[in-house]
Amino acid sequence: MARNIQSLERAAAMLRLLAGGERRLGLSDIASSLGLAKGTAHGILRTLQQEGFVEQDDASGRYQLGAELLRLGTTYLDVHELRARALVWTDDLARSSGESVHLGVLHQQGVLIVHHVFRPDDSRQVLEIGAMQPLHSTALGKVLSAYDPVAHSEALEADRTAYTDRTVCEPDGFEHILDITRARGYAADVEETWDGIASIAAPIHDRRRMPVGAVGITGAVERLCRDGELRPELVAAVRDCARAVSRDLGAGRF
């Protein structure tokens, strides 16, 4: 069995200690509570402070939980609330469109799939929760890049790989696609990431009207397109799903 890393165990214990009891604790209090030498405790606190997980009050020298830990916790809650709010609507979208549905959020210069509803037929499919998709070529990624400034910056900074002959990699061309996405309220990927595959996605906003994710359908080009164009009823279904989830998150009407 692999051995636990002692320094990480001590850091975790320190964060739990700061999360309970008094609002701020001094170095001596932390060290004695955890049975650590002051030098050891100070070294761990200094590292946690550099990473933003712990903050030190200038006047008293006491420590408290930092803003970065709060941000990570809020992100966890936001993603799980997003998925919970989207469950019914994504099931409905899969049934009405006949295609697989993906719910994605920004993560490490890509799109993290946090929910996946299978296409409602008897075909063999693979669950893609936890998979990553590129920002610049997928419909989910384009939506996030168009509406989320952080995603936009990360898409421009990342290596934009040409997955097919249709992938748009140049900055000017990519920016033009994002302008179109914002103007019409949805994004498309027609064989830009995978040959023979198309997808449609729309943005999801929260109660602050901030973009928190994207929802879309993916399927064979011949099913999503008609006469070389995306089927308007599928575009409408995706946009309706995104608006419904946004309303459930408190965003109101868009």
Side-chain angles (χ1 to χ4, degrees):
M1 181 181 294
R3 296 176 61 186
N4 293 340
I5 301 174
Q6 188 181 55
S7 59
L8 292 180
E9 289 182 330
R10 289 172 171 175
M14 203 168 284
L15 292 173
R16 292 191 186 98
L17 180 64
L18 290 170
E22 297 181 28
R23 178 174 172 78
R24 295 188 180 98
L25 293 173
L27 174 59
S28 297
D29 298 325
I30 295 171
S32 61
S33 295
L34 299 178
L36 299 174
K38 281 188 179 181
T40 301
H42 185 256
I44 296 172
L45 284 167
R46 186 172 62 248
T47 301
L48 291 173
Q49 186 177 0
Q50 289 172 349
E51 296 299 325
F53 296 137
V54 165
E55 296 174 356
Q56 186 178 25
D57 181 65
D58 291 334
S60 67
R62 289 174 172 264
Y63 295 90
Q64 64 182 22
L65 294 180
E68 180 64 14
L69 197 65
L70 176 62
R71 186 190 69 80
L72 291 176
T74 301
T75 300
Y76 174 85
L77 293 174
D78 284 348
V79 168
H80 283 262
E81 182 183 8
L82 171 63
R83 185 177 181 275
R85 298 287 186 180
L87 288 176
V88 173
W89 300 111
T90 50
D91 283 348
D92 287 347
L93 178 58
R95 282 193 294 268
S96 65
S97 67
E99 303 295 344
S100 62
V101 178
H102 295 89
L103 185 69
V105 298
L106 176 66
H107 181 68
Q108 295 180 349
Q109 293 190 325
V111 183
L112 174 67
I113 303 303
V114 297
H115 185 52
H116 176 200
V117 183
F118 282 164
R119 185 171 64 253
D121 60 20
D122 295 328
S123 62
R124 183 178 180 180
Q125 300 172 63
V126 177
L127 188 65
E128 296 180 23
I129 293 175
M132 294 290 293
Q133 293 186 3
L135 285 169
H136 70 287
S137 63
T138 61
L140 292 171
K142 293 176 191 177
V143 162
L144 292 175
S145 300
Y147 288 91
D148 185 338
V150 176
H152 180 217
S153 298
E154 293 192 355
L156 291 177
E157 293 170 2
D159 293 330
R160 291 180 297 281
T161 301
Y163 296 104
T164 73
D165 293 340
R166 293 173 175 263
T167 309
V168 177
C169 299
E170 299 77 13
D172 290 345
F174 181 62
E175 291 286 8
H176 179 62
I177 289 175
L178 299 188
D179 288 340
I180 294 174
T181 298
R182 285 186 287 265
R184 63 189 185 184
Y186 71 92
D189 164 12
V190 181
E191 297 189 283
E192 293 177 51
T193 310
W194 303 281
D195 288 323
I197 301 297
S199 58
I200 306 166
I204 296 173
H205 297 80
D206 65 6
R207 61 185 60 85
R208 300 162 296 173
R209 293 186 174 254
M210 297 294 291
V212 293
V215 64
I217 60 173
T218 300
V221 171
E222 58 267 24
R223 294 198 304 268
L224 267 64
C225 298
R226 182 186 300 126
D227 299 326
E229 300 290 336
L230 292 169
R231 290 167 54 190
E233 67 272 22
L234 294 180
V235 172
V238 171
R239 296 192 67 192
D240 286 346
C241 177
R243 282 192 288 261
V245 178
S246 296
R247 284 196 300 271
D248 277 4
L249 287 171
R253 290 187 172 275
F254 274 82

